[in-house]
Amino acid sequence: MAVRAGLIARWRARLPVGPRTPVVTLHEGDTPLVPAPRLARRAGLGPEAVWLKLEGLNPTGSFKDRGMTVAVSKALEAGARGVLCASTGNTAASAAAYAARAGLRCVVLLPDGAVALGKLAQALAHGAEAVMVRGNFDDALRLARGAATGTWALVNSVNPHRIEGQKTAAFEVVEALGRAPDYHFLPVGNAGNITAYWRGYREAGKGRPRMMGWQAAGAAPIVRGRPIPDPETAATAIRIGNPASWKEALAARDESGGLIGAVGDAAIFAAYALLAREEGVFCEPSSAASAAGLLAFARRGGFKKAPKGVRVVLTLTGNGLKDPKSAETLPSRVRRCAADPAAFRRLLGSR
Ligand code: F0G
């Protein structure tokens, strides 16, 4: 089979597609799993303990493409004329791209003023019709759910085909490591992805990791045990106060012996900088919640009883390029120079 043929081609037998399903694909999936030795050292672990699943290398720059190839293919099969979603940005970008490929209309409901620039640019570039909702993601999802009837297909993760597609990331991790890891860290927003990985690991049948989900402290309904009416975090992808897959996330946590914790924005942004500076991986701030969670868990002695040869996987859910404004908050060094060789030599010699 061709390299990166797309995940329906690769995992067809384990997905809800049939011979008559029109496959809409951008050859998503097959993302790299790379070791993170410096992050591992900071967590007090060996150089081969921590691995990063780089989901930002999917076609539209986030893990959403895994769910979207299945959801849009199934929508087309069912005769939908358009797709609809609420989104903090990545779902919208992905839905827009796959809808463009399928020749479907795409309407995206976005929380006004709380979507990273790159994601909005992507959705608009692909021809999506954007609706800015005066409210947050949870309000937008309520509107989307209420309107998704007739020939409109809802492609949020409440659509079961999304979860089916996203579970393939766990299959790839198992394939790369030869077994499931001992721990899997990932950010939690609407809680579809933690649900999907847990299903994927169970279906792969090669061991079960503890599922370690992380919410932003200002948007941590599952940790607090109640919906948050006005979630707040600069990690806008996970600025969600009432996750649709709440129950499923609790099941993943409890069945796996894992946990769902909260990390503050300062810790999230510190991890975001660390991944970029020390591992050469530029993810978006929300993705860095998984690394912030790893460091918080390690600091409170979570790995004390970890076996030698422990394997820890972190999903980095989205590409750093999506959110240039957040990148501007990173410590950086920019100097101006005349277009003159001597001036540049002087500058190089000074620090
Ligand atoms: N990381 C990124 C980069 C995301 O975009 C999202 C969710 C998450 C993590 C959380 O995943 O919702 O499955 O728990 N983004 C959605 C969106 C809400 O609309 O793009 P989750």
Side-chain angles (χ1 to χ4, degrees):
M1 188 186 295
V3 175
R4 285 198 101 178
L7 58 84
I8 292 180
R10 190 141 180 244
W11 304 106
R12 173 175 282 275
R14 300 192 194 182
L15 293 170
V17 293
R20 275 190 294 280
T21 311
V23 175
V24 183
T25 180
L26 287 160
H27 293 206
E28 57 294 310
D30 270 326
T31 55
L33 185 69
V34 304
R38 291 165 199 87
L39 181 60
R41 191 194 311 141
R42 284 180 182 270
L45 298 170
E48 285 173 12
V50 176
W51 297 75
L52 308 174
K53 182 73 170 153
L54 301 187
E55 289 290 278
L57 295 181
N58 274 298
T60 77
S62 86
F63 70 97
K64 305 288 181 180
D65 296 343
R66 293 182 184 276
M68 214 52 78
T69 182
V70 180
V72 174
S73 297
K74 293 301 282 185
L76 204 56
E77 181 180 13
R81 306 288 292 281
V83 299
L84 191 64
C85 67
S87 180
T88 56
N90 281 322
T91 297
S94 184
Y98 284 80
R101 209 152 166 93
L104 295 171
R105 253 183 92 186
C106 177
V107 172
V108 300
L109 292 145
L110 306 169
D112 198 7
V115 173
L117 201 60
K119 303 174 188 181
L120 183 58
Q122 284 180 287
L124 299 180
H126 292 303
E129 301 159 53
V131 178
M132 299 305 190
V133 177
R134 287 185 211 97
N136 56 36
F137 169 84
D138 307 286
D139 299 314
L141 183 57
R142 201 163 353 97
L143 296 185
R145 292 177 95 148
T149 51
T151 55
W152 285 107
L154 183 68
V155 295
N156 280 106
S157 59
V158 294
N159 176 333
H161 300 127
R162 280 276 314 277
I163 305 296
E164 284 292 303
Q166 284 171 213
K167 76 184 180 185
T168 61
F171 298 166
E172 292 175 18
V173 170
V174 168
E175 198 176 70
L177 296 178
R179 64 164 171 97
D182 301 290
Y183 296 86
H184 191 115
F185 285 74
L186 78 175
V188 172
N190 212 25
N193 214 27
I194 190 170
T195 303
Y197 270 95
W198 181 233
R199 182 182 302 173
Y201 282 123
R202 279 178 299 151
E203 289 186 12
K206 292 222 174 144
R208 296 175 175 202
R210 290 174 194 268
M211 297 303 299
M212 311 290 284
W214 299 89
Q215 303 194 296
I222 297 178
V223 180
R224 313 265 176 256
R226 55 178 171 81
I228 306 293
D230 31 60
E232 206 34 86
T233 170
T236 53
I238 54 172
R239 187 169 166 270
I240 293 175
N242 192 8
S245 298
W246 192 320
K247 275 204 207 87
E248 292 82 353
L250 291 180
R253 180 194 71 185
D254 297 339
E255 290 167 25
S256 74
L259 66 82
I260 296 180
V263 277
D265 277 16
I268 291 175
F269 276 75
Y272 167 67
L274 192 149
L275 285 164
R277 291 294 161 96
E278 298 189 0
E279 296 291 0
V281 175
F282 187 29
C283 64
E284 59 174 284
S286 300
S287 304
S290 57
L294 172 84
L295 295 173
F297 183 68
R299 205 171 303 120
R300 51 179 198 251
F303 293 117
K304 273 246 169 67
K305 284 187 233 130
K308 217 168 132 59
V310 65
R311 285 285 179 280
V312 180
V313 170
L314 276 62
T315 302
L316 297 186
T317 47
N319 197 302
L321 291 170
K322 285 178 171 273
D323 191 353
K325 286 218 166 70
S326 287
E328 280 176 356
T329 70
L330 291 168
S332 60
R333 188 142 194 242
V334 180
R335 289 176 283 177
R336 291 215 153 59
C337 179
D340 164 54
F344 180 54
R345 269 196 304 276
R346 261 198 312 282
L347 185 145
L348 262 187
S350 71
R351 290 180 61 101

